[in-house]
Amino acid sequence: MSETHICLPELCIVVPVLNERDNIAPLVAAVRQAMGEVAWEIVFVDDNSRDGTREAIRAVAADEPRVRMIHRVGRRGLASAFIEGAHASFAPNIAAMDGDMQHDESRLPLMLQALRDGADLAIGSRYVPGGGVGDWDKTRAGMSDLATKLGQKVLKTHVADPMSGFFMLKREVFDRAMPGLSAIGFKILLDIIASLPTPPRIVEIPFQFRTRVAGESKLDAGVMRDFALLLVDKMVGHVVPVRFVLFAAVGSVGIVLHMLVLLLALKAAGWSFDQAQAMATAVAILGNFGLNNHVTFGDKRLKGLRMWRGLALFAAISAVGAAGNLSVAAFMFGPQMTNWFLAGFVGAAMSLVWNYAVSSAFVWRR
Ligand code: GDD
Ligand code: MN
């Protein structure tokens, strides 16, 4: 504390919240109790909760000046909420803690002491001796176990609990990770460690993951998709954008679908080639649109009228892409160039890049 300015808190606790009204006051009281003499502050980052969370925060802040809030509208995501909260403070140490009382705030002083003693990062860990997850059922425990193993694979350094949402790090370490962060979904700790140019000095401090009393978990299919996105981004994101990888994967599924429909229409239904090819194209475009809408751009999913408009636009973009594919391939497969493989590949790659760039700019732009 000595070399920092006297007014600056030593620790900023960033608490992302989404519909946690009844947890706010107990959480602040518990932190106040746990921190003793330490100079701390809390930055709540609320993504436009509908249940009165902000009012609860305002009420607490009325007699606790160490509590502040960022209100985000039209934004979502635990990871990006943490990043913005961290940027809203000048404290030399930053903690991430859930706003639902599942994280044991009595560990915070131990984590801070670990940083004072030279660690870069202190992790509240469920998977070291003394830690645990309480009364999770088999499914949740199994899922967490799988996610932990996958997470460990993308890290160069061993961490028992890379999926923990409860940790503390030095600001300089956060700043070093910042340029490489994917900021996708829930798993900000994994993101930070994987984004650091050199492995940080880590101390894992056991804690018991508490059972949620008030409010509901936000863990859903979207969170799992985001985790998959984060893993892909951490593996190949420095080469190509993760969305492009997904878009290309969806495109490959589309080709398989196209060929299946073509085969069925020709052989089973006895259609002419032109009819069958037209049908296969329509099905492939529909299938690609649906998959891209749910997976590649699942976080910007179009619904209702916007979906139909998006589909029409997507079909038009794909048609232009296909025409471009044909003409590029024909140009390359001209009199002086007879490599059909290269011609076909360049044509397909061109239309893939075109479809991706134009679709992400105009169809899923929100
Ligand atoms: N601002 C904001 N925006 N906050 C969010 C959002 C969001 O989109 N989604 C969730 N939160 C807040 C919740 O209000 C809560 O305070 C905290 O983030 C954790 O959300 P939960 O829905 O309670 O997550 P969980 O208990 O399933 O997952 C926790 O444990 C996992 C380990 O099993 C989190 O800490 C994960 O990060 C952790 O990996
Ligand atoms: Mn929780």
Side-chain angles (χ1 to χ4, degrees):
M1 180 77 223
S2 48
E3 74 272 60
T4 57
H5 191 277
I6 200 75
C7 290
L8 206 58
E10 186 180 11
L11 173 67
C12 173
I13 307 164
V14 178
V15 184
V17 281
L18 188 61
N19 300 331
E20 302 287 0
R21 181 192 60 217
D22 296 332
N23 289 313
I24 302 298
L27 183 125
V28 173
V31 167
R32 190 186 293 126
Q33 168 88 35
M35 296 312 295
E37 296 299 297
V38 175
W40 55 273
E41 67 178 346
I42 292 181
V43 175
F44 286 102
V45 185
D46 174 78
D47 282 350
N48 212 20
S49 294
R50 299 279 172 205
D51 70 339
T53 296
R54 283 184 305 287
E55 289 68 18
I57 294 170
R58 206 166 293 137
V60 171
D63 28 45
E64 179 50 270
R66 292 174 287 191
V67 168
R68 293 187 291 125
M69 173 176 76
I70 296 175
H71 176 189
R72 305 197 304 173
V73 179
R75 308 278 307 281
R76 277 297 281 276
L78 185 49
S80 66
F82 171 75
I83 294 168
E84 282 176 41
H87 281 304
S89 158
F90 294 111
N93 303 291
I94 314 158
M97 190 165 91
D98 287 353
D100 57 3
M101 303 293 287
Q102 290 195 275
H103 290 162
D104 182 354
E105 64 290 328
S106 74
R107 305 283 104 174
L108 288 168
L110 296 177
M111 292 157 94
L112 185 61
Q113 194 54 49
L115 298 192
R116 287 171 178 160
D117 292 344
D120 293 317
L121 173 62
I123 301 176
S125 179
R126 299 160 296 171
Y127 302 133
V128 292
V133 293
D135 61 353
W136 276 6
D137 59 38
K138 275 220 166 64
T139 326
R140 171 99 206 234
M143 266 168 34
S144 175
D145 195 50
L146 177 68
T148 301
K149 294 214 168 82
L150 286 171
Q152 285 167 336
K153 289 235 180 311
V154 303
L155 297 181
K156 289 180 201 77
T157 169
H158 178 75
V159 182
D161 194 357
M163 315 307 283
S164 177
F166 186 33
F167 60 91
M168 193 185 291
L169 79 177
K170 290 185 175 146
R171 175 169 300 279
E172 68 219 40
V173 179
F174 174 70
D175 288 344
R176 240 181 285 144
M178 191 55 215
L181 291 179
S182 309
I184 303 171
F186 256 47
K187 306 305 174 188
I188 179 68
L189 174 61
L190 183 75
D191 198 356
I192 289 173
I193 302 174
S195 300
L196 283 168
T198 50
R201 277 160 302 186
I202 297 176
V203 174
E204 291 195 64
I205 292 171
F207 84 103
Q208 289 287 336
F209 197 77
R210 296 189 197 124
T211 305
R212 205 184 236 284
V213 182
E216 281 167 11
S217 171
K218 281 87 203 172
L219 192 92
D220 58 10
V223 170
M224 283 171 237
R225 185 207 57 228
D226 288 347
F227 177 49
L229 279 187
L230 177 64
L231 290 181
V232 176
D233 195 45
K234 284 280 133 328
M235 287 183 288
V236 299
H238 51 288
V239 187
V240 278
V242 60
R243 271 198 221 275
F244 181 75
V245 176
L246 287 176
F247 195 85
V250 166
S252 325
V253 173
I255 292 174
V256 173
L257 196 64
H258 183 111
M259 297 313 281
L260 272 176
V261 174
L262 186 65
L263 183 76
L264 278 177
L266 281 175
K267 302 293 170 198
W271 292 12
S272 74
F273 180 80
D274 286 352
Q275 283 174 327
Q277 174 73 352
M279 175 54 98
T281 306
V283 172
I285 287 179
L286 267 178
N288 277 8
F289 178 78
L291 279 173
N292 281 323
N293 198 32
H294 280 84
V295 183
T296 317
F297 299 100
D299 54 336
K300 306 177 183 184
R301 185 175 311 159
L302 303 172
K303 293 180 188 135
L305 196 63
R306 287 165 168 278
M307 187 189 77
W308 294 107
R309 211 174 50 197
L311 176 60
L313 200 55
F314 182 77
I317 291 166
S318 304
V320 175
N325 178 352
L326 288 182
S327 52
V328 168
F331 172 74
M332 287 201 58
F333 196 69
Q336 61 285 74
M337 265 274 265
T338 46
N339 187 338
W340 63 267
F341 183 85
L342 189 67
F345 183 81
V346 172
M350 278 275 302
S351 66
L352 175 66
V353 171
W354 154 267
N355 284 358
Y356 172 72
V358 181
S359 294
S360 45
F362 295 104
V363 181
W364 289 279
R365 55 162 187 253
R366 219 164 16 114

